[in-house]
mmCIF file of all heavy atoms in Angstrom:
data_model
loop_
_atom_site.group_PDB
_atom_site.id
_atom_site.type_symbol
_atom_site.label_atom_id
_atom_site.label_comp_id
_atom_site.label_asym_id
_atom_site.label_seq_id
_atom_site.Cartn_x
_atom_site.Cartn_y
_atom_site.Cartn_z
ATOM 1 N N GLU T 16 0.841 -1.199 0.000
ATOM 2 C CA GLU T 16 0.000 0.000 0.000
ATOM 3 C C GLU T 16 0.872 1.243 0.000
ATOM 4 O O GLU T 16 1.734 1.414 0.847
ATOM 5 C CB GLU T 16 -0.952 0.010 1.196
ATOM 6 C CG GLU T 16 -1.715 1.311 1.399
ATOM 7 C CD GLU T 16 -2.468 1.784 0.155
ATOM 8 O OE1 GLU T 16 -3.222 0.971 -0.444
ATOM 9 O OE2 GLU T 16 -2.299 2.963 -0.231
ATOM 10 N N GLU T 17 0.589 2.130 -0.935
ATOM 11 C CA GLU T 17 1.457 3.264 -1.236
ATOM 12 C C GLU T 17 1.220 4.484 -0.359
ATOM 13 O O GLU T 17 2.161 5.214 -0.047
ATOM 14 C CB GLU T 17 1.247 3.651 -2.710
ATOM 15 C CG GLU T 17 1.921 4.932 -3.159
ATOM 16 C CD GLU T 17 3.425 4.796 -3.323
ATOM 17 O OE1 GLU T 17 3.935 3.659 -3.268
ATOM 18 O OE2 GLU T 17 4.092 5.827 -3.496
ATOM 19 N N THR T 18 -0.026 4.762 0.050
ATOM 20 C CA THR T 18 -0.308 6.093 0.577
ATOM 21 C C THR T 18 -0.903 6.071 1.976
ATOM 22 O O THR T 18 -1.400 5.052 2.453
ATOM 23 C CB THR T 18 -1.234 6.868 -0.389
ATOM 24 O OG1 THR T 18 -1.151 8.262 -0.117
ATOM 25 C CG2 THR T 18 -2.680 6.401 -0.264
ATOM 26 N N THR T 19 -0.854 7.240 2.631
ATOM 27 C CA THR T 19 -1.292 7.379 4.021
ATOM 28 C C THR T 19 -2.734 6.939 4.202
ATOM 29 O O THR T 19 -3.053 6.176 5.116
ATOM 30 C CB THR T 19 -1.146 8.849 4.469
ATOM 31 O OG1 THR T 19 0.180 9.303 4.197
ATOM 32 C CG2 THR T 19 -1.440 9.001 5.950
ATOM 33 N N THR T 20 -3.611 7.432 3.338
ATOM 34 C CA THR T 20 -5.033 7.097 3.452
ATOM 35 C C THR T 20 -5.246 5.595 3.363
ATOM 36 O O THR T 20 -6.030 5.018 4.137
ATOM 37 C CB THR T 20 -5.831 7.820 2.355
ATOM 38 O OG1 THR T 20 -5.713 9.233 2.542
ATOM 39 C CG2 THR T 20 -7.301 7.423 2.393
ATOM 40 N N GLY T 21 -4.569 4.951 2.438
ATOM 41 C CA GLY T 21 -4.714 3.508 2.291
ATOM 42 C C GLY T 21 -4.239 2.745 3.504
ATOM 43 O O GLY T 21 -4.888 1.782 3.946
ATOM 44 N N VAL T 22 -3.119 3.168 4.084
ATOM 45 C CA VAL T 22 -2.608 2.501 5.286
ATOM 46 C C VAL T 22 -3.584 2.681 6.442
ATOM 47 O O VAL T 22 -3.837 1.737 7.207
ATOM 48 C CB VAL T 22 -1.204 3.026 5.655
ATOM 49 C CG1 VAL T 22 -0.773 2.502 7.019
ATOM 50 C CG2 VAL T 22 -0.190 2.593 4.602
ATOM 51 N N HIS T 23 -4.164 3.860 6.570
ATOM 52 C CA HIS T 23 -5.175 4.071 7.619
ATOM 53 C C HIS T 23 -6.343 3.099 7.435
ATOM 54 O O HIS T 23 -6.834 2.503 8.412
ATOM 55 C CB HIS T 23 -5.692 5.511 7.566
ATOM 56 C CG HIS T 23 -4.745 6.504 8.137
ATOM 57 N ND1 HIS T 23 -4.908 7.866 8.007
ATOM 58 C CD2 HIS T 23 -3.603 6.348 8.853
ATOM 59 C CE1 HIS T 23 -3.923 8.493 8.604
ATOM 60 N NE2 HIS T 23 -3.121 7.597 9.121
ATOM 61 N N ARG T 24 -6.797 2.950 6.198
ATOM 62 C CA ARG T 24 -7.912 2.038 5.940
ATOM 63 C C ARG T 24 -7.524 0.604 6.292
ATOM 64 O O ARG T 24 -8.312 -0.128 6.898
ATOM 65 C CB ARG T 24 -8.332 2.113 4.467
ATOM 66 C CG ARG T 24 -8.915 3.439 4.050
ATOM 67 C CD ARG T 24 -9.291 3.432 2.572
ATOM 68 N NE ARG T 24 -10.525 2.689 2.324
ATOM 69 C CZ ARG T 24 -10.977 2.396 1.111
ATOM 70 N NH1 ARG T 24 -10.266 2.732 0.033
ATOM 71 N NH2 ARG T 24 -12.114 1.736 0.956
ATOM 72 N N LEU T 25 -6.308 0.209 5.906
ATOM 73 C CA LEU T 25 -5.872 -1.162 6.174
ATOM 74 C C LEU T 25 -5.729 -1.419 7.663
ATOM 75 O O LEU T 25 -6.069 -2.503 8.155
ATOM 76 C CB LEU T 25 -4.548 -1.435 5.462
ATOM 77 C CG LEU T 25 -4.602 -1.440 3.936
ATOM 78 C CD1 LEU T 25 -3.205 -1.628 3.363
ATOM 79 C CD2 LEU T 25 -5.546 -2.515 3.408
ATOM 80 N N ARG T 26 -5.224 -0.445 8.405
ATOM 81 C CA ARG T 26 -5.107 -0.627 9.859
ATOM 82 C C ARG T 26 -6.490 -0.739 10.501
ATOM 83 O O ARG T 26 -6.679 -1.512 11.450
ATOM 84 C CB ARG T 26 -4.307 0.515 10.474
ATOM 85 C CG ARG T 26 -2.829 0.510 10.062
ATOM 86 C CD ARG T 26 -1.978 1.388 10.959
ATOM 87 N NE ARG T 26 -0.640 1.567 10.410
ATOM 88 C CZ ARG T 26 0.338 0.670 10.467
ATOM 89 N NH1 ARG T 26 0.132 -0.491 11.042
ATOM 90 N NH2 ARG T 26 1.530 0.938 9.943
ATOM 91 N N SER T 27 -7.443 0.016 9.978
ATOM 92 C CA SER T 27 -8.822 -0.112 10.474
ATOM 93 C C SER T 27 -9.379 -1.502 10.173
ATOM 94 O O SER T 27 -10.045 -2.119 11.024
ATOM 95 C CB SER T 27 -9.720 0.959 9.845
ATOM 96 O OG SER T 27 -9.341 2.244 10.262
ATOM 97 N N MET T 28 -9.111 -1.998 8.977
ATOM 98 C CA MET T 28 -9.526 -3.359 8.630
ATOM 99 C C MET T 28 -8.886 -4.374 9.569
ATOM 100 O O MET T 28 -9.557 -5.288 10.069
ATOM 101 C CB MET T 28 -9.145 -3.693 7.188
ATOM 102 C CG MET T 28 -9.948 -2.992 6.119
ATOM 103 S SD MET T 28 -9.380 -3.445 4.446
ATOM 104 C CE MET T 28 -9.951 -5.168 4.343
ATOM 105 N N ALA T 29 -7.583 -4.207 9.814
ATOM 106 C CA ALA T 29 -6.879 -5.148 10.683
ATOM 107 C C ALA T 29 -7.430 -5.091 12.107
ATOM 108 O O ALA T 29 -7.608 -6.136 12.757
ATOM 109 C CB ALA T 29 -5.382 -4.838 10.681
ATOM 110 N N ASP T 30 -7.722 -3.887 12.586
ATOM 111 C CA ASP T 30 -8.275 -3.739 13.944
ATOM 112 C C ASP T 30 -9.630 -4.432 14.059
ATOM 113 O O ASP T 30 -9.986 -4.950 15.130
ATOM 114 C CB ASP T 30 -8.426 -2.253 14.299
ATOM 115 C CG ASP T 30 -7.087 -1.566 14.535
ATOM 116 O OD1 ASP T 30 -6.079 -2.278 14.722
ATOM 117 O OD2 ASP T 30 -7.048 -0.322 14.525
ATOM 118 N N ASP T 31 -10.379 -4.438 12.964
ATOM 119 C CA ASP T 31 -11.695 -5.088 12.962
ATOM 120 C C ASP T 31 -11.611 -6.581 12.637
ATOM 121 O O ASP T 31 -12.646 -7.258 12.556
ATOM 122 C CB ASP T 31 -12.611 -4.407 11.936
ATOM 123 C CG ASP T 31 -13.020 -3.003 12.350
ATOM 124 O OD1 ASP T 31 -12.862 -2.676 13.545
ATOM 125 O OD2 ASP T 31 -13.480 -2.243 11.488
ATOM 126 N N GLY T 32 -10.398 -7.071 12.421
ATOM 127 C CA GLY T 32 -10.239 -8.478 12.057
ATOM 128 C C GLY T 32 -10.673 -8.778 10.638
ATOM 129 O O GLY T 32 -10.913 -9.942 10.290
ATOM 130 N N ALA T 33 -10.758 -7.738 9.798
ATOM 131 C CA ALA T 33 -11.291 -7.914 8.446
ATOM 132 C C ALA T 33 -10.222 -8.060 7.381
ATOM 133 O O ALA T 33 -10.535 -8.439 6.254
ATOM 134 C CB ALA T 33 -12.191 -6.720 8.097
ATOM 135 N N LEU T 34 -8.961 -7.770 7.707
ATOM 136 C CA LEU T 34 -7.888 -7.865 6.712
ATOM 137 C C LEU T 34 -7.342 -9.279 6.707
ATOM 138 O O LEU T 34 -6.766 -9.737 7.703
ATOM 139 C CB LEU T 34 -6.780 -6.854 7.026
ATOM 140 C CG LEU T 34 -5.607 -6.794 6.037
ATOM 141 C CD1 LEU T 34 -6.083 -6.475 4.633
ATOM 142 C CD2 LEU T 34 -4.574 -5.768 6.502
ATOM 143 N N LYS T 35 -7.504 -9.972 5.594
ATOM 144 C CA LYS T 35 -7.265 -11.414 5.553
ATOM 145 C C LYS T 35 -5.978 -11.822 4.830
ATOM 146 O O LYS T 35 -5.716 -13.011 4.681
ATOM 147 C CB LYS T 35 -8.464 -12.109 4.894
ATOM 148 C CG LYS T 35 -9.790 -11.866 5.611
ATOM 149 C CD LYS T 35 -9.757 -12.339 7.069
ATOM 150 C CE LYS T 35 -11.134 -12.171 7.720
ATOM 151 N NZ LYS T 35 -11.113 -12.563 9.147
ATOM 152 N N TYR T 36 -5.207 -10.873 4.356
ATOM 153 C CA TYR T 36 -3.896 -11.244 3.805
ATOM 154 C C TYR T 36 -2.881 -10.153 4.157
ATOM 155 O O TYR T 36 -3.251 -9.027 4.512
ATOM 156 C CB TYR T 36 -3.959 -11.542 2.308
ATOM 157 C CG TYR T 36 -4.269 -10.417 1.344
ATOM 158 C CD1 TYR T 36 -3.237 -9.678 0.751
ATOM 159 C CD2 TYR T 36 -5.574 -10.136 0.954
ATOM 160 C CE1 TYR T 36 -3.500 -8.692 -0.167
ATOM 161 C CE2 TYR T 36 -5.849 -9.152 0.021
ATOM 162 C CZ TYR T 36 -4.806 -8.425 -0.530
ATOM 163 O OH TYR T 36 -5.073 -7.448 -1.450
ATOM 164 N N PRO T 37 -1.588 -10.461 4.099
ATOM 165 C CA PRO T 37 -0.569 -9.506 4.560
ATOM 166 C C PRO T 37 -0.387 -8.337 3.606
ATOM 167 O O PRO T 37 -0.399 -8.503 2.384
ATOM 168 C CB PRO T 37 0.705 -10.359 4.647
ATOM 169 C CG PRO T 37 0.463 -11.528 3.766
ATOM 170 C CD PRO T 37 -1.004 -11.778 3.769
ATOM 171 N N MET T 38 -0.205 -7.142 4.191
ATOM 172 C CA MET T 38 0.028 -5.924 3.411
ATOM 173 C C MET T 38 1.219 -5.179 3.987
ATOM 174 O O MET T 38 1.301 -4.961 5.200
ATOM 175 C CB MET T 38 -1.209 -5.019 3.471
ATOM 176 C CG MET T 38 -2.438 -5.542 2.775
ATOM 177 S SD MET T 38 -2.285 -5.612 0.966
ATOM 178 C CE MET T 38 -1.907 -3.905 0.565
ATOM 179 N N PHE T 39 2.133 -4.778 3.132
ATOM 180 C CA PHE T 39 3.231 -3.910 3.542
ATOM 181 C C PHE T 39 2.762 -2.455 3.527
ATOM 182 O O PHE T 39 2.216 -1.982 2.524
ATOM 183 C CB PHE T 39 4.426 -4.048 2.598
ATOM 184 C CG PHE T 39 5.300 -5.236 2.878
ATOM 185 C CD1 PHE T 39 5.705 -6.063 1.840
ATOM 186 C CD2 PHE T 39 5.746 -5.511 4.162
ATOM 187 C CE1 PHE T 39 6.526 -7.153 2.084
ATOM 188 C CE2 PHE T 39 6.562 -6.603 4.416
ATOM 189 C CZ PHE T 39 6.953 -7.424 3.381
ATOM 190 N N ALA T 40 3.014 -1.747 4.631
ATOM 191 C CA ALA T 40 2.695 -0.322 4.716
ATOM 192 C C ALA T 40 3.854 0.470 4.115
ATOM 193 O O ALA T 40 4.670 1.068 4.822
ATOM 194 C CB ALA T 40 2.453 0.079 6.166
ATOM 195 N N VAL T 41 3.936 0.462 2.798
ATOM 196 C CA VAL T 41 5.029 1.146 2.117
ATOM 197 C C VAL T 41 5.042 2.632 2.486
ATOM 198 O O VAL T 41 6.103 3.244 2.649
ATOM 199 C CB VAL T 41 4.915 0.955 0.592
ATOM 200 C CG1 VAL T 41 5.905 1.842 -0.158
ATOM 201 C CG2 VAL T 41 5.129 -0.512 0.235
ATOM 202 N N ASN T 42 3.864 3.213 2.654
ATOM 203 C CA ASN T 42 3.783 4.626 3.005
ATOM 204 C C ASN T 42 4.577 4.973 4.260
ATOM 205 O O ASN T 42 5.104 6.079 4.388
ATOM 206 C CB ASN T 42 2.316 5.026 3.218
ATOM 207 C CG ASN T 42 2.179 6.466 3.677
ATOM 208 O OD1 ASN T 42 2.252 7.392 2.872
ATOM 209 N ND2 ASN T 42 2.008 6.676 4.979
ATOM 210 N N ASP T 43 4.645 4.043 5.206
ATOM 211 C CA ASP T 43 5.199 4.361 6.517
ATOM 212 C C ASP T 43 6.704 4.155 6.620
ATOM 213 O O ASP T 43 7.289 4.447 7.659
ATOM 214 C CB ASP T 43 4.506 3.504 7.588
ATOM 215 C CG ASP T 43 3.035 3.867 7.753
ATOM 216 O OD1 ASP T 43 2.575 4.802 7.068
ATOM 217 O OD2 ASP T 43 2.355 3.208 8.557
ATOM 218 N N THR T 44 7.330 3.627 5.599
ATOM 219 C CA THR T 44 8.763 3.376 5.692
ATOM 220 C C THR T 44 9.541 4.662 5.420
ATOM 221 O O THR T 44 9.082 5.534 4.677
ATOM 222 C CB THR T 44 9.157 2.249 4.709
ATOM 223 O OG1 THR T 44 10.382 1.665 5.124
ATOM 224 C CG2 THR T 44 9.286 2.774 3.295
ATOM 225 N N PRO T 45 10.703 4.840 6.066
ATOM 226 C CA PRO T 45 11.410 6.125 5.961
ATOM 227 C C PRO T 45 11.697 6.593 4.543
ATOM 228 O O PRO T 45 11.552 7.779 4.234
ATOM 229 C CB PRO T 45 12.707 5.867 6.737
ATOM 230 C CG PRO T 45 12.343 4.840 7.751
ATOM 231 C CD PRO T 45 11.342 3.950 7.063
ATOM 232 N N MET T 46 12.092 5.682 3.645
ATOM 233 C CA MET T 46 12.429 6.100 2.291
ATOM 234 C C MET T 46 11.212 6.602 1.512
ATOM 235 O O MET T 46 11.353 7.238 0.472
ATOM 236 C CB MET T 46 13.100 4.952 1.538
ATOM 237 C CG MET T 46 14.581 4.794 1.861
ATOM 238 S SD MET T 46 15.572 6.240 1.406
ATOM 239 C CE MET T 46 15.626 6.062 -0.369
ATOM 240 N N LYS T 47 10.011 6.321 2.019
ATOM 241 C CA LYS T 47 8.812 6.881 1.416
ATOM 242 C C LYS T 47 8.366 8.116 2.180
ATOM 243 O O LYS T 47 8.241 9.204 1.625
ATOM 244 C CB LYS T 47 7.697 5.823 1.397
ATOM 245 C CG LYS T 47 6.616 6.080 0.352
ATOM 246 C CD LYS T 47 5.554 7.036 0.833
ATOM 247 C CE LYS T 47 4.415 7.153 -0.178
ATOM 248 N NZ LYS T 47 3.433 8.180 0.221
ATOM 249 N N THR T 48 8.159 7.971 3.471
ATOM 250 C CA THR T 48 7.586 9.039 4.282
ATOM 251 C C THR T 48 8.428 10.308 4.258
ATOM 252 O O THR T 48 7.912 11.415 4.077
ATOM 253 C CB THR T 48 7.418 8.557 5.735
ATOM 254 O OG1 THR T 48 6.469 7.488 5.751
ATOM 255 C CG2 THR T 48 6.934 9.673 6.627
ATOM 256 N N LEU T 49 9.722 10.155 4.474
ATOM 257 C CA LEU T 49 10.579 11.324 4.650
ATOM 258 C C LEU T 49 10.832 12.075 3.351
ATOM 259 O O LEU T 49 11.281 13.230 3.383
ATOM 260 C CB LEU T 49 11.924 10.900 5.259
ATOM 261 C CG LEU T 49 11.850 10.273 6.650
ATOM 262 C CD1 LEU T 49 13.232 9.841 7.119
ATOM 263 C CD2 LEU T 49 11.231 11.250 7.652
ATOM 264 N N PHE T 50 10.550 11.452 2.224
ATOM 265 C CA PHE T 50 10.863 12.086 0.949
ATOM 266 C C PHE T 50 9.620 12.292 0.098
ATOM 267 O O PHE T 50 9.310 13.418 -0.300
ATOM 268 C CB PHE T 50 11.900 11.241 0.200
ATOM 269 C CG PHE T 50 13.161 11.051 1.001
ATOM 270 C CD1 PHE T 50 13.353 9.907 1.751
ATOM 271 C CD2 PHE T 50 14.120 12.045 1.036
ATOM 272 C CE1 PHE T 50 14.504 9.740 2.511
ATOM 273 C CE2 PHE T 50 15.273 11.888 1.792
ATOM 274 C CZ PHE T 50 15.467 10.732 2.538
ATOM 275 N N ASP T 51 8.892 11.224 -0.173
ATOM 276 C CA ASP T 51 7.682 11.309 -0.982
ATOM 277 C C ASP T 51 6.662 12.231 -0.313
ATOM 278 O O ASP T 51 6.167 13.186 -0.918
ATOM 279 C CB ASP T 51 7.125 9.896 -1.155
ATOM 280 C CG ASP T 51 5.921 9.815 -2.075
ATOM 281 O OD1 ASP T 51 5.034 10.669 -1.964
ATOM 282 O OD2 ASP T 51 5.862 8.886 -2.884
ATOM 283 N N ASN T 52 6.339 11.970 0.941
ATOM 284 C CA ASN T 52 5.298 12.738 1.606
ATOM 285 C C ASN T 52 5.714 14.181 1.855
ATOM 286 O O ASN T 52 4.934 15.114 1.651
ATOM 287 C CB ASN T 52 4.907 12.067 2.925
ATOM 288 C CG ASN T 52 4.178 10.757 2.708
ATOM 289 O OD1 ASN T 52 3.983 10.319 1.578
ATOM 290 N ND2 ASN T 52 3.786 10.112 3.785
ATOM 291 N N VAL T 53 6.946 14.376 2.323
ATOM 292 C CA VAL T 53 7.396 15.733 2.645
ATOM 293 C C VAL T 53 7.756 16.507 1.381
ATOM 294 O O VAL T 53 7.136 17.521 1.047
ATOM 295 C CB VAL T 53 8.595 15.692 3.620
ATOM 296 C CG1 VAL T 53 9.122 17.104 3.864
ATOM 297 C CG2 VAL T 53 8.180 15.052 4.945
ATOM 298 N N HIS T 54 8.764 16.037 0.667
ATOM 299 C CA HIS T 54 9.256 16.796 -0.479
ATOM 300 C C HIS T 54 8.377 16.599 -1.711
ATOM 301 O O HIS T 54 8.143 17.547 -2.467
ATOM 302 C CB HIS T 54 10.703 16.400 -0.773
ATOM 303 C CG HIS T 54 11.640 16.746 0.336
ATOM 304 N ND1 HIS T 54 12.068 18.036 0.563
ATOM 305 C CD2 HIS T 54 12.199 15.986 1.312
ATOM 306 C CE1 HIS T 54 12.873 18.058 1.610
ATOM 307 N NE2 HIS T 54 12.962 16.821 2.090
#
């Protein structure tokens, strides 16, 4: 998952027990967050 909004949705799904396969939160990793989101 590429973006902040998507990661929020996925975490909500996981909290509800609704996310049934693994997802990488690409948005939250430093090489994405510190550059893509900011700059």
Side-chain angles (χ1 to χ4, degrees):
E16 171 53 51
E17 172 74 10
T18 199
T19 308
T20 297
V22 171
H23 284 170
R24 294 179 76 189
L25 294 176
R26 292 196 191 282
S27 294
M28 289 179 71
D30 289 344
D31 290 344
L34 182 58
K35 301 301 184 183
Y36 67 93
M38 292 292 303
F39 279 133
V41 171
N42 176 80
D43 293 358
T44 202
M46 279 298 286
K47 202 276 186 185
T48 296
L49 298 178
F50 302 97
D51 185 317
N52 291 2
V53 176
H54 296 284

